[in-house]
């Protein structure tokens, strides 16, 4: 199959692809990146886990009719 010479790649997209491939080389731990990592890896999952355990079994969303409450207790 012959290659097409009419395909012109966008230089901005090519630059973005190259930057994305070498992103790890330019990463530095700063107070901002440390805080964001703590929030996204620690605080948010911990909060969601806490809410999940506190509401486990409280709500039944299947098999309800109009007017029925979703709370079990």
């Amino acid at each position: 199959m012959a290659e097409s010479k009419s395909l012109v790649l966008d230089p901005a997209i090519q630059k973005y692809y190259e930057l994305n491939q070498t992103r790890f080389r330019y990463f530095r731990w700063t107070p901002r990146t440390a805080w964001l990592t703590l929030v996204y890896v620690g605080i948010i999952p911990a909060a969601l886990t806490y809410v999940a355990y506190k509401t486990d079994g409280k709500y039944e969303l299947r098999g309800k009719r109009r007017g029925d409450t979703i709370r079990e207790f």
Side-chain angles (χ1 to χ4, degrees), residues 38-55:
L38 176 67
V39 168
Y40 287 122
V41 175
I43 295 173
I44 292 176
L48 291 175
T49 303
Y50 175 76
V51 169
Y53 276 114
K54 288 304 244 182
T55 61

Side-chain angles (χ1 to χ4, degrees), residues 6-58:
S6 65
L7 180 63
V8 178
L9 299 174
D10 186 9
I13 293 178
Q14 289 301 110
K15 185 177 178 182
Y16 173 74
Y17 288 154
E18 291 170 11
L19 173 73
N20 205 16
Q21 289 175 349
T22 60
R23 183 173 299 210
F24 67 94
R25 294 180 186 162
Y26 304 108
F27 178 78
R28 298 287 183 262
W29 283 106
T30 62
R32 181 176 186 263
T33 57
W35 173 247
L36 288 174
T37 302
L38 176 67
V39 168
Y40 287 122
V41 175
I43 295 173
I44 292 176
L48 291 175
T49 303
Y50 175 76
V51 169
Y53 276 114
K54 288 304 244 182
T55 61
D56 187 32
K58 268 192 176 177

